[in-house]
Amino acid sequence: MKRRDFLLTSSTGLAMVASGAAAEDMKPMDGMPMSPMDWTDQNGLTRFLKTDTAPLENEFEKYPRCPYCGMMRQMFSQTRHLIVYDNDTVDGTCSLHCAAISLALNVDAGPKTIYAGDAGADAKVKPLAVVDDMTYVIDAKKPGTMTGTSKYAYADPAKADAAAKDGGKVASFDEALVMAYADMARDTINIRKRRAERRARAGQ
């Protein structure tokens, strides 16, 4: 099955769940304002992505914050994703969780290339690799970025196997994406709870 068809079947039915997460969590952390280019449709969640034919050049300058949660992507380079759609628009997220939101909201544009940070790389800022060539490790014992179940991607299958040896599960990108959607409701509830607690503490 082509990835576009896979995404249409696996994510469209869950788009309302993802949209629910985005509606709450598109407010960036620490009170940072959204760019006026990001969300402009007052009646819905229509996202206007930037056209970018060289998405890997100056990535963090062009996509510094995840548009869905506001987290600094370079700080979470090991879980960040960069989605290049077939119309050459690009979305940069902090995690597979937020990438799943992007893919659900942009179902009319098929993903041409999806990159993820290589969690197994030695560099402090992890390099990107194409997810089709990566192995994900799903581990419920380790918290992930924007999720209670970690979903890290590895370019080296041997490093993925080593990371999964203590109870993790290796998976393809498509399998990890399905798990991200399955976790979406629980993760969104937890995110809202944590942010409500942070707002309450800030008001004291």
Side-chain angles (χ1 to χ4, degrees):
M1 179 183 292
K2 293 182 179 180
R3 172 152 296 139
R4 182 184 180 92
D5 296 334
F6 170 82
L7 290 168
L8 286 171
T9 56
S10 66
S11 66
T12 301
L14 292 156
M16 292 184 66
V17 175
S19 299
E24 170 67 16
D25 297 316
M26 65 185 180
K27 300 175 183 177
M29 298 171 67
D30 304 323
M32 293 296 293
M34 294 295 291
S35 164
M37 293 180 63
D38 286 339
W39 295 90
T40 60
D41 187 348
Q42 297 180 356
N43 298 314
L45 291 173
T46 301
R47 179 85 194 283
F48 293 93
L49 303 179
K50 299 177 183 178
T51 299
D52 185 353
T53 57
L56 301 183
E57 295 180 8
N58 303 316
E59 175 202 353
F60 294 118
E61 293 180 18
K62 292 183 290 188
Y63 311 101
R65 285 183 177 268
C66 177
Y68 305 101
C69 67
M71 296 170 72
M72 297 300 294
R73 296 179 63 250
Q74 188 166 350
M75 292 178 61
F76 298 89
S77 67
Q78 74 278 11
T79 59
R80 80 190 189 281
H81 283 65
L82 190 71
I83 305 170
V84 182
Y85 288 101
D86 56 16
N87 56 5
D88 286 328
T89 58
V90 177
D91 209 2
T93 71
C94 68
S95 60
L96 181 60
H97 170 100
C98 291
I101 294 173
S102 176
L103 290 166
L105 294 177
N106 293 287
V107 291
D108 288 331
K112 180 166 59 176
T113 309
I114 303 175
Y115 301 93
D118 178 11
D122 294 330
K124 181 178 180 180
V125 177
K126 307 303 182 184
L128 292 172
V130 179
V131 297
D132 292 335
D133 302 323
M134 303 181 82
T135 302
Y136 281 74
V137 175
I138 316 298
D139 195 339
K141 300 188 303 298
K142 299 177 182 178
T145 305
M146 300 298 289
T147 179
T149 298
S150 65
K151 302 173 183 69
Y152 287 82
Y154 294 81
D156 185 343
K159 290 185 177 180
D161 289 338
K165 68 179 182 179
D166 294 326
K169 175 184 177 182
V170 295
S172 67
F173 170 78
D174 288 346
E175 291 168 335
L177 181 64
V178 169
M179 293 180 188
Y181 282 121
D183 290 343
M184 191 74 69
R186 181 184 66 243
D187 290 336
T188 300
I189 290 170
N190 290 335
I191 291 166
R192 286 176 170 159
K193 181 180 178 181
R194 288 195 299 270
R195 293 193 175 189
E197 291 171 349
R198 186 164 60 245
R199 287 193 294 269
R201 290 196 298 271
Q204 293 178 350

